[in-house]
Amino acid sequence: MRIFVSQLNPIIGDLEGNTKKILYALEQARLSNAELVLFSELILSGYPPEDLLLQRTFIEAHSYYLEQIIEASSGLIVILGLVRQSKERAEKSLINSAAVIYDGKLLGFQDKQLLPTYDVFDERRYFEPGSKTRIWSLKGKRIGILICEDMWQHLEGTYTHDPVLGLADLQPDLILNLSASPYRFQKLETRIEVCLACARTLKCPVVLCCQVGANDQLVFAGYSTYVNSQAKLQQLAKGFEEDTMLLDTEAVPTPYAFMMDPFKDLYQALVLGVRDYFVKLGFKKACLGISGGIDSALVACIAVDALGRENVLGITMPSRYSSKQSPLDAIQLAKNLKITLKQIRIEKPFQAYLELLQPYFVDQEFDATEENLQARIRGAILMAFSNKFGHLVLSTGNKSEMAMGYCTLYGDMCGGLSVLSDVTKQQVYILANLHKQRIPKSTLEKPPSAELRPNQLDSDSLPAYDIIDQVLQGYMEEHLSPEEISHQYQISLDLVKQLIK
């Protein structure tokens, strides 16, 4: 069977715009002499639609657009993810489903059976789970349809029911999976393993179509996947962009060389996250504070690659405590990236604040109060440019600093989008070193410093970032206990508990 996999980047809630993309894909498929067109999970609404699903008119509008797709399906099998209503359900009236369409007719629906409600997912809030596993006989093929989590259970079982095993006795010739699986660092290898495991069990080809694009804090990587009946990877669609994949399940198997740099992948996820946030919400230009440090340098690179250099404004705001090198590094970075850079010294407003507050701070030592004043002055300047010229401010703090509270409320935390807030300091260094041609060498090599007091270093207030990041990984990502983290990473238990606290 010739299958056309349409990996699209939908806008959540844009039923009309998403339908136009779907209809265009059907025309492409027809020109490619495809027999079946596969789309991703909830492609009509975009994933995750969240509380849009509570709006009756939004749900009712699905029928109108589904009819357009059915009418355009002449000569094709179309498998399409959407929300549908059902009066048969006891608790919830909505179902996460796949419409099965053939040659201008709606044949029925395959419902998602396993509804993830953990991490970023909250599907049981809205949907009733499907209960039936069936085979669809289409063009002489026995086809099984699974929706995202229905297939992941087979490798990463956390449910009592496994829909893949439910299909085993039905002897399918082909498995189709509609997926909206958010990006996670090094997740692609796991997704491929999920497809391979399904193919081994059911002894038939597996085709997975995954959504691509960023929706607020979630990034969907794409990388739609085809695995043959011998459980060998045959094709991968592109990552982090819309793509199509034409495959023939009867073709002679060919080896597929799969190589991926997970950090280049992470960088592309960040670029896509910024680009789609701007495009989908109607912003065009960004500004950010460029200190000469590694975090702001990396965010500047991401912004340029996401938005184009003409849409990025850098503002460097040196103070009496800035090193001699930092402003020079900011200027060099801007030259390398070919972006506009404004230099605004903050000495005058800082001194004015000190004089204003001096009568109230008599006999009080210089501390975080004065440090934070500088960060807040910089935040106010960035927001002034945002208000005056319509730039969205990108904040530049990384996950390690955020987790430790090593940041300033209304200062370096201000902005419309926090680009690195799920990227650890160690990952920042690795990503920045991918861009040695653009980021100045001294920025890459200097020890981290907020430069808010004389000769300040981050290490004055924090343990080494590699230790912080290990505890972060263990506690926030792997959900380990302090004792398990201490044992796994060979860090003192007292320090682990201190960092967690």
Side-chain angles (χ1 to χ4, degrees):
M1 179 174 279
R2 285 174 62 83
I3 299 174
F4 187 91
V5 179
S6 183
Q7 176 179 292
L8 298 178
N9 183 349
I11 294 178
I12 290 178
D14 184 8
L15 298 178
E16 182 176 358
N18 297 340
T19 299
K20 287 179 180 178
K21 288 190 173 211
I22 292 165
L23 296 178
Y24 179 70
L26 296 185
E27 287 301 314
Q28 286 184 299
R30 202 172 275 110
L31 292 172
S32 302
N33 294 318
E35 298 168 89
L36 184 150
V37 190
L38 179 64
F39 295 96
S40 57
E41 178 181 10
L42 296 188
I43 184 62
L44 191 53
S45 64
Y47 187 95
E50 296 187 342
D51 280 6
L52 281 174
L53 298 173
L54 304 180
Q55 297 185 18
R56 177 179 52 81
T57 54
F58 177 70
I59 299 301
E60 291 173 349
H62 278 65
S63 298
Y64 171 76
Y65 292 102
L66 178 59
E67 282 301 321
Q68 292 186 29
I69 296 164
I70 293 170
E71 291 174 8
S73 67
S74 176
L76 295 170
I77 302 167
V78 179
I79 312 297
L80 172 92
L82 79 170
V83 179
R84 73 181 183 95
Q85 282 185 302
S86 174
K87 296 178 181 178
E88 302 168 6
R89 303 301 179 177
E91 184 179 344
K92 305 287 186 181
S93 64
L94 299 180
I95 306 170
N96 181 340
S97 197
V100 181
I101 302 164
Y102 179 40
D103 193 23
K105 295 180 181 178
L106 176 63
L107 301 184
F109 298 95
Q110 178 65 59
D111 301 332
K112 187 173 185 178
Q113 299 175 61
L114 304 181
L115 302 178
T117 305
Y118 57 84
D119 196 40
V120 301
F121 305 104
D122 197 13
E123 290 195 28
R124 268 179 257 165
R125 173 178 170 85
Y126 311 101
F127 299 121
E128 182 78 8
S131 57
K132 296 179 182 178
T133 302
R134 62 168 292 186
I135 289 293
W136 300 82
S137 295
L138 299 165
K139 290 208 168 182
K141 296 292 183 183
R142 296 171 55 78
I143 299 176
I145 298 172
L146 299 168
I147 301 178
C148 206
E149 190 90 342
D150 292 345
M151 191 165 74
W152 282 76
Q153 159 71 7
H154 193 58
L155 186 70
E156 299 184 337
T158 55
Y159 302 83
T160 57
H161 171 57
D162 184 347
V164 171
L165 293 181
L167 284 166
D169 292 339
L170 302 178
Q171 299 181 320
D173 298 318
L174 171 67
I175 295 296
L176 303 176
N177 185 272
L178 299 80
S179 179
S181 179
Y183 169 83
R184 187 177 69 228
F185 187 63
Q186 294 184 308
K187 187 177 183 178
L188 177 57
E189 293 96 327
T190 307
R191 185 181 298 131
I192 292 171
E193 281 302 317
V194 167
C195 294
L196 294 174
C198 182
R200 289 188 200 102
T201 297
L202 300 179
K203 298 179 175 54
C204 70
V206 174
V207 183
L208 178 148
C209 180
C210 188
Q211 178 174 296
V212 70
N215 297 321
D216 288 345
Q217 77 273 25
L218 294 181
V219 174
F220 297 84
Y223 286 125
S224 295
T225 305
Y226 168 44
V227 169
N228 69 11
S229 57
Q230 287 79 47
K232 302 292 184 184
L233 178 64
Q234 295 295 287
Q235 284 180 250
L236 273 181
K238 294 176 183 176
F240 307 104
E241 61 182 278
E242 290 190 330
D243 195 18
T244 59
M245 189 166 69
L246 184 65
L247 59 97
D248 188 340
T249 59
E250 310 302 322
V252 176
T254 55
Y256 184 89
F258 167 60
M259 295 182 64
M260 184 196 72
D261 181 332
F263 285 97
K264 289 182 179 178
D265 232 37
L266 174 56
Y267 185 82
Q268 289 305 315
L270 295 167
V271 169
L272 177 59
V274 171
R275 181 187 298 125
D276 267 15
Y277 192 85
F278 276 70
V279 170
K280 292 181 179 182
L281 297 179
F283 294 103
K284 289 185 170 56
K285 295 182 180 292
C287 68
L288 71 154
I290 297 181
S291 65
I294 196 164
D295 296 316
S296 60
L298 178 58
V299 172
C301 289
I302 292 167
V304 166
D305 292 342
L307 308 172
R309 61 182 178 84
E310 69 280 5
N311 293 316
V312 179
L313 170 66
I315 303 174
T316 185
M317 296 165 279
S319 77
R320 63 179 72 174
Y321 302 119
S322 298
S323 68
K324 291 182 180 179
Q325 188 62 41
S326 289
L328 298 177
D329 288 342
I331 292 168
Q332 186 60 54
L333 175 74
K335 286 181 179 177
N336 293 349
L337 295 176
K338 297 182 173 59
I339 63 172
T340 301
L341 182 72
K342 306 288 187 186
Q343 185 175 85
I344 302 174
R345 297 189 177 275
I346 66 167
E347 177 60 28
K348 286 184 179 180
F350 182 46
Q351 183 60 38
Y353 268 113
L354 294 178
E355 292 173 2
L356 176 70
L357 294 169
Q358 192 276 331
Y360 308 98
F361 291 174
V362 175
D363 298 328
Q364 297 293 313
E365 293 185 1
F366 184 105
D367 60 12
T369 307
E370 287 78 13
E371 293 182 30
N372 288 333
L373 277 174
Q374 299 164 73
R376 291 184 177 121
I377 290 167
R378 290 174 173 137
I381 292 170
L382 289 169
M383 291 309 302
F385 273 82
S386 176
N387 290 161
K388 188 62 69 176
F389 301 109
H391 292 65
L392 186 74
V393 177
L394 302 178
S395 59
T396 61
N398 61 66
K399 183 175 186 174
S400 309
E401 294 170 344
M402 294 286 189
M404 292 293 99
Y406 195 68
C407 46
T408 302
L409 192 61
Y410 317 121
D412 57 330
M413 291 177 70
C414 82
L417 184 65
S418 184
V419 179
L420 301 178
S421 61
D422 201 23
V423 181
T424 67
K425 190 70 169 185
Q426 297 300 296
Q427 290 174 328
V428 167
Y429 274 106
I430 294 170
L431 292 174
N433 273 281
L434 295 176
H435 300 273
K436 291 180 179 179
Q437 314 310 336
R438 303 196 288 181
I439 297 177
K441 184 178 180 183
S442 55
T443 296
L444 296 169
E445 294 179 348
K446 73 176 71 166
S449 171
E451 295 189 347
L452 298 173
R453 64 173 184 262
N455 304 313
Q456 182 181 26
L457 296 175
D458 288 7
S459 57
D460 299 337
S461 305
L462 299 172
Y465 277 115
D466 58 343
I467 294 175
I468 292 173
D469 291 350
Q470 287 174 334
V471 175
L472 269 177
Q473 176 66 26
Y475 190 67
M476 296 183 68
E477 305 292 339
E478 300 173 24
H479 310 296
L480 302 178
S481 69
E483 290 76 14
E484 289 170 323
I485 295 170
S486 175
H487 176 74
Q488 179 166 316
Y489 294 107
Q490 296 298 297
I491 304 171
S492 122
L493 181 58
D494 286 343
L495 179 55
V496 171
K497 288 182 176 179
Q498 177 189 341
L499 289 173
I500 288 173
K501 184 178 180 181

